[in-house]
Amino acid sequence: MVAAASVVVAVGTASGMIHALDEERGSDEARPDVTYSPRLESLPVVPPPSPSVTESPSPTRTKRKPEAPASPSPSPSPSRTERERHTAAVSTRLYRHSASQVLDWVRDNPGDPRHGVIQSRIAAHPAAVWFADFTPDTITARVRAVTSGGAAQGRVPVVVAYAIPDRDCGGASQGGAPDLGAYDDWIDRFAAGLGSGDVIVVLEPDSVAQADCLSGAGRADRFASLARAGRVLKAANPRARVYYDAGHSGWHAPGKQAGWLKQAGAASAASSDGIFSNVSNFHTTADEVAYDRQVLDALGGPASLGAVVDTSRNGNGAPADGEWCDPAGRKVGRAPTLSTGEARIDGYLWIKLPGESDGCKGTPGTFSPSYAYDLASP
């Protein structure tokens, strides 16, 4: 891309599902906790994961030329009182699921000289769990395996629903449901696995920002299905926080993105808790925070709407040449947390797992230890 977007490479149901952990040093029943701060710290070795289901790897993303740069100036935000009302009863402890490609690698390669860096700076951190394959018969149980694991530890899982038809506009991450009717049914089944505890749902990366490849009628149909999806998810679990696709700061102008988001239901508290940005991308946290606030201002809706930013690979920002496929010189970004200290920014999350290839350092969606080591090395 020249300034890029996101788009997943769904590699079936390989063992690349992602994980999760927490923000405070200590220990839980199965995994060591980590102190979450902008500086990554060395952590104890992760014990072998407990048996669990396996999900799809985090996909790679394509890039799209930006239409207008986002202003670096943050936009006005709602009062702290409004935001505190929205988040006061919500846990800030993120959950790391025990099944992922990086945890498999850490367990199977204790003698590798890269082991310590990859374990402490990637594997020990929480990340999202992707559901990128269209398997209606098993989706409820698989989602429930993740959300029940988070509930048992009193922590917040992050799950990614990624099965919208025509995803990636037929590109490297093509796939998903065969049509919107089938997708609606898949979402119903996905929602049935959310349980009753706190959970963050990243709803369909690229589904809004990349909608310009669809016809006008196709866009309208997709947006109606996304609005329905948000309502279904929140009705199934009122404690679920659902975030919609805002692309990233190098893609669409905030006003255009907000207009599409509104059509997709992102401005309604019945279907949305806000927006997400920078999934599988590299733009700096500061740029994303400023951009997300502009999108939220243009979107309107209740003051409780916020944003989450994917900080998994943005430690050095985006490459100047716009390269998006496993670009050299990138680093992991801020550690995952739901306590950002930033108005209207609900969390910094690792949605794309660092070390899972975009397709240049390895097969798309598979874990590359050499790439992970480069990203994690100080």
Side-chain angles (χ1 to χ4, degrees):
M1 122 180 186
V2 176
S6 38
V7 170
V8 184
V9 164
V11 184
T13 53
S15 62
M17 171 161 110
I18 313 181
H19 24 277
L21 206 143
D22 178 46
E23 308 155 76
E24 301 172 320
R25 187 173 297 279
S27 64
D28 60 43
E29 297 178 0
R31 309 248 167 225
D33 290 349
V34 35
T35 298
Y36 287 99
S37 67
R39 179 173 61 86
L40 296 176
E41 302 181 32
S42 296
L43 301 169
V45 174
V46 180
S50 57
S52 182
V53 294
T54 307
E55 300 308 329
S56 303
S58 57
T60 70
R61 326 307 295 196
T62 58
K63 317 296 183 170
R64 295 290 177 272
K65 186 173 181 177
E67 299 179 14
S71 164
S73 303
S75 303
S77 56
S79 70
R80 181 167 295 277
T81 300
E82 288 290 342
R83 297 297 299 149
E84 286 175 350
R85 273 203 297 271
H86 178 53
T87 60
V90 174
S91 172
T92 59
R93 294 161 58 86
L94 287 165
Y95 167 73
R96 179 185 59 185
H97 192 58
S98 60
S100 73
Q101 293 184 99
V102 66
L103 289 176
D104 288 346
W105 185 89
V106 165
R107 183 181 61 250
D108 295 342
N109 296 275
D112 192 291
R114 301 165 294 188
H115 180 278
V117 168
I118 292 174
Q119 187 279 322
S120 64
R121 295 173 179 261
I122 294 179
H125 290 276
V129 181
W130 288 76
F131 297 88
D133 57 328
F134 182 69
T135 52
D137 292 342
T138 62
I139 189 63
T140 301
R142 290 161 50 214
V143 173
R144 184 179 293 126
V146 177
T147 57
S148 62
Q153 296 182 15
R155 303 184 182 194
V156 184
V158 179
V159 295
V160 183
Y162 191 69
I164 199 78
D166 300 316
R167 69 183 188 200
D168 195 17
C169 298
S173 297
Q174 61 185 298
D179 55 54
L180 287 174
Y183 177 73
D184 291 347
D185 177 67
W186 185 86
I187 281 289
D188 291 346
R189 299 182 186 211
F190 185 103
L194 290 179
S196 58
D198 293 328
V199 58
I200 291 172
V201 181
V202 175
L203 181 61
E204 298 296 340
D206 295 333
S207 61
V208 178
Q210 206 175 31
D212 51 4
C213 75
L214 301 174
S215 67
R219 254 195 315 274
D221 290 344
R222 172 182 286 188
F223 292 163
S225 194
L226 288 170
R228 177 193 180 277
R231 294 192 300 271
V232 166
L233 295 166
K234 292 186 71 65
N237 179 358
R239 293 174 68 177
R241 284 172 280 170
V242 179
Y243 293 90
Y244 281 74
D245 170 38
H248 59 69
S249 59
W251 204 348
H252 297 306
K256 176 177 180 177
Q257 190 67 29
W260 281 355
L261 282 161
K262 186 172 294 187
Q263 294 176 53
S268 169
S271 53
S272 171
D273 291 271
I275 61 175
F276 63 83
S277 72
N278 209 40
V279 170
S280 299
N281 223 283
F282 307 93
H283 297 274
T284 66
T285 301
D287 285 349
E288 292 306 300
V289 166
Y291 170 76
D292 288 346
R293 287 174 176 162
Q294 292 170 353
V295 173
L296 288 168
D297 285 346
L299 180 61
S304 60
L305 297 182
V308 294
V309 178
D310 187 349
T311 60
S312 61
R313 303 190 297 179
N314 73 345
N316 276 355
D321 63 0
E323 177 57 56
W324 63 270
C325 186
D326 302 330
R330 302 311 97 198
K331 296 294 178 184
V332 293
R334 295 193 183 198
T337 181
L338 296 179
S339 300
T340 70
E342 292 279 356
R344 305 206 82 175
I345 307 302
D346 295 344
Y348 302 134
L349 305 177
W350 283 12
I351 301 174
K352 168 76 173 182
L353 176 62
E356 288 190 358
S357 176
D358 296 322
C360 294
K361 301 282 188 182
T363 302
T366 58
F367 183 73
S368 166
S370 60
Y371 182 37
Y373 183 76
D374 290 345
L375 287 168
S377 298

